Amino acid sequence: MKIVTVATTAFAGQRPGTSGLRKQVGVFMQPHYLENFVQALFDTLPDKAGQTLVLGGDGRYHNRVAVQTILRMAAANGYARVLVGQGGLLSTPALSAVVRKLGASGGIVLSASHNPGGPDGDFGIKYNIANGGPAPETITEAVYTRTQGITGYTIVEGGTAIDLDTLGTITLGDMTIEVIDPVAIHAQLMASLFDFAAMRAWFAAGHRMQYDAMCAVGGPYAKAVLEGRLGAPAGTVVNGEPLEDFGGHHPDPNPAHAAQLMAAMSGQSAPDFGAASDGDADRNMILGRDFVVTPSDSLAVLAANAHLVPGYRAGLTGIARSMPTSCAADAVAKALGIASYETPTGWKFFGNLLDAGRVTLCGEESYGTGSDHVREKDGLWAVLFWLNLLAATGQSVEQIVRGHWARFGRHYYSRHDWEGVATDRADALVNSLRERLPGLVGTRWPEAGAACVAAGVADADIGAWQIEAADDFAYTDPVDGSVSHKQGLRLLFAGGARIVLRLSGTGTQGATLRVYFERYEADPSRHDLPTQAALAPLIAAAEQIAGLCLRTGLNGPAVIT
Ligand code: G16
């Protein structure tokens, strides 16, 4: 084995965002680009002697090349052992599970999550620490700082390609590479949490399900459990083969991008239960027949019914949600008499709360739900949790959600994504609004009242649509005291309605402005409003207050979920 040091120069912009470093494939394929980032990461971590690293990705274009490179760099940087998913594949939740189960010092996930793949798509890299969760900002910032001063990286030179497809052990110099089957490890973890016998009976009774894996890494995991262990008919999992370009699909499980599943779940002959996961299988979407469950409601429903699931029968310690996620889960926490936490966007902010045992369930509006079984959100886990509830209650998805609303009230919720905004325009919009926040407190928004009337929403005078508080969300981690500023602009109306604006940290082209709307409705006779109509007052107020069309130069949001 010959270790060489290759001279390099720094690339600008290697700062990780909400979830690792994400760029277009062409950027990652530049000579030294990936190597610089990996070397900066290895330089930032303590001594690698005797340490185990877990490595794998969602199989998107460039995954195999990147895995080969990182293996040769890990050997040159002194790792004792690397565990690689077979074929170089690992879902994000499976990586978290493997890091925790096998005592690794950390893991590298190669993924750009729900972003499209292929030669013209996106690529990404993220480091997870020994608890199995995304590295905190202290580490990602240190890595970024190191990338800006890097002058060389070390790597094992040449040699033949390492066989990633055959389970077993290979040596690379002093380092051992173990090609593992993460699907079996994850399936075993799921079996330890859920009532597989009841779920098998649900399928045996003739209930049907469609799981859309979106040609991404989640297919084999879903097939192994649903069609393998639970006896669902073959074909329950569609788009189940991971492809480098996700079959040309946008592997983002929401009603806009999972159009095939939405169509399949419509009509009297549709399956009882529909679900999808994203590129790296950590996101989930839950559907009933002609019925969409919002991610915020999903978290609340899981929390309220956790006692029906073996792994959570002992009760929950607390629930955490990201700030833009609806307050539906808070209502459940209050009813259960347990703590609720509001964190910034990004799964990394849940890690300390989970490690400290303060929360059992976490969730985000961005189709992420998870628990303390790993330190990532987990798409298949959320789907199986729902399946367990269907089997335990005998109810449909819609019945469960409507029952939940009747008990806790309904939190109408929507996110509008303004995509491809020029970065300077997006920054100017957010900065201008931030400066005007103090002056907005106490103001009334007659446009909101007018929008109520136009949308046929009767309560035109709800709190007279007055802004009670407005701020830029800051978070102090209750476990380690670290503070994160500028996490989203909040306009809080009397009566609990909210508008939140923030810039996405996961895009790769221009800026994406996310505008979140939430409004609480206690009255069950008003739980059937079309969501956009129910939120029309807030949507009108946001346009008036922030000047969205004018300042972005766009006619409207590209995606509404
Ligand atoms: C990542 C993070 C999530 C976050 C989401 C959206 O998910 O892990 O915590 O909610 O991005 O972030 P943003 O609004 O900044 O784009 P994923 O599934 O993309 O890894």
Side-chain angles (χ1 to χ4, degrees), residues 18-19 22 113-114 278 282-283 345-347 364 366 377 502 504-506 514 516:
T18 307
S19 185
R22 290 184 190 167
S113 184
H114 55 291
D278 73 330
D282 58 357
R283 297 183 175 208
T345 293
W347 207 264
E364 292 187 280
S366 55
K377 51 191 185 273
R502 57 178 286 280
S504 161
T506 56
R514 301 204 196 282
Y516 312 81

Side-chain angles (χ1 to χ4, degrees), residues 171-476:
T171 53
L172 183 60
D174 295 335
M175 189 178 85
T176 303
I177 299 169
E178 287 175 38
V179 179
I180 60 166
D181 175 12
V183 173
I185 292 172
H186 190 261
Q188 197 53 41
L189 181 55
M190 296 299 103
S192 73
L193 296 171
F194 298 112
D195 186 347
F196 273 24
M199 293 146 86
R200 255 194 305 274
W202 188 84
F203 281 116
H207 290 108
R208 287 177 302 124
M209 171 183 185
Q210 186 163 132
Y211 185 110
D212 191 341
M214 304 191 93
C215 300
V217 75
Y221 296 86
K223 271 193 205 168
V225 174
L226 295 170
E227 298 179 11
R229 298 197 181 204
L230 299 180
T236 296
V237 178
V238 299
N239 296 319
E241 296 302 323
L243 299 175
E244 285 198 330
D245 65 350
F246 305 122
H249 299 300
H250 189 155
D252 192 356
N254 62 42
H257 293 306
Q260 182 186 342
L261 181 65
M262 290 294 288
M265 291 303 297
S266 178
Q268 280 310 306
S269 58
D272 303 277
F273 182 35
S277 52
D278 73 330
D280 58 334
D282 58 357
R283 297 183 175 208
N284 75 91
M285 178 171 71
I286 301 296
L287 302 174
R289 192 177 291 146
D290 285 311
F291 193 83
V292 176
V293 184
T294 70
S296 297
D297 276 349
S298 179
L299 172 66
V301 167
L302 299 192
N305 295 286
H307 58 281
L308 299 173
V309 173
Y312 306 94
R313 202 156 272 155
L316 310 176
T317 58
I319 310 168
R321 63 167 174 83
S322 65
M323 181 273 284
T325 303
S326 98
C327 300
D330 301 15
V332 176
K334 195 171 169 202
L336 294 176
I338 59 174
S340 57
Y341 296 86
E342 185 178 43
T343 62
T345 293
W347 207 264
K348 58 190 171 221
F349 292 104
F350 294 136
N352 278 348
L353 295 171
L354 290 163
D355 284 353
R358 291 192 185 215
V359 299
T360 311
L361 299 189
C362 311
E364 292 187 280
E365 50 67 37
S366 55
Y367 294 85
T369 334
S371 86
D372 57 1
H373 70 291
V374 287
R375 293 294 180 272
E376 288 279 6
K377 51 191 185 273
D378 188 337
L380 183 57
W381 169 90
V383 174
L384 294 175
F385 203 129
W386 267 95
L387 193 55
N388 201 148
L389 296 187
L390 297 179
T393 62
Q395 294 185 333
S396 69
V397 172
E398 180 169 352
Q399 284 171 330
I400 289 176
V401 176
R402 288 195 180 281
H404 186 91
W405 291 340
R407 181 176 169 202
F408 295 98
R410 179 170 181 186
H411 292 255
Y412 282 103
Y413 187 82
S414 181
R415 188 179 92 191
H416 291 195
D417 289 339
W418 297 67
E419 294 180 349
V421 184
T423 307
D424 54 345
R425 278 178 175 252
D427 290 342
L429 188 156
V430 170
N431 292 337
S432 156
L433 183 56
R434 184 183 293 113
E435 282 168 20
R436 290 184 285 121
L437 288 177
L440 289 169
V441 178
T443 56
R444 291 171 188 274
W445 291 89
E447 295 79 8
C452 282
V453 175
V457 182
D459 58 346
D461 64 346
I462 173 176
W465 290 102
Q466 183 171 18
I467 296 181
E468 272 191 338
D471 66 3
D472 194 347
F473 181 61
Y475 176 67
T476 302

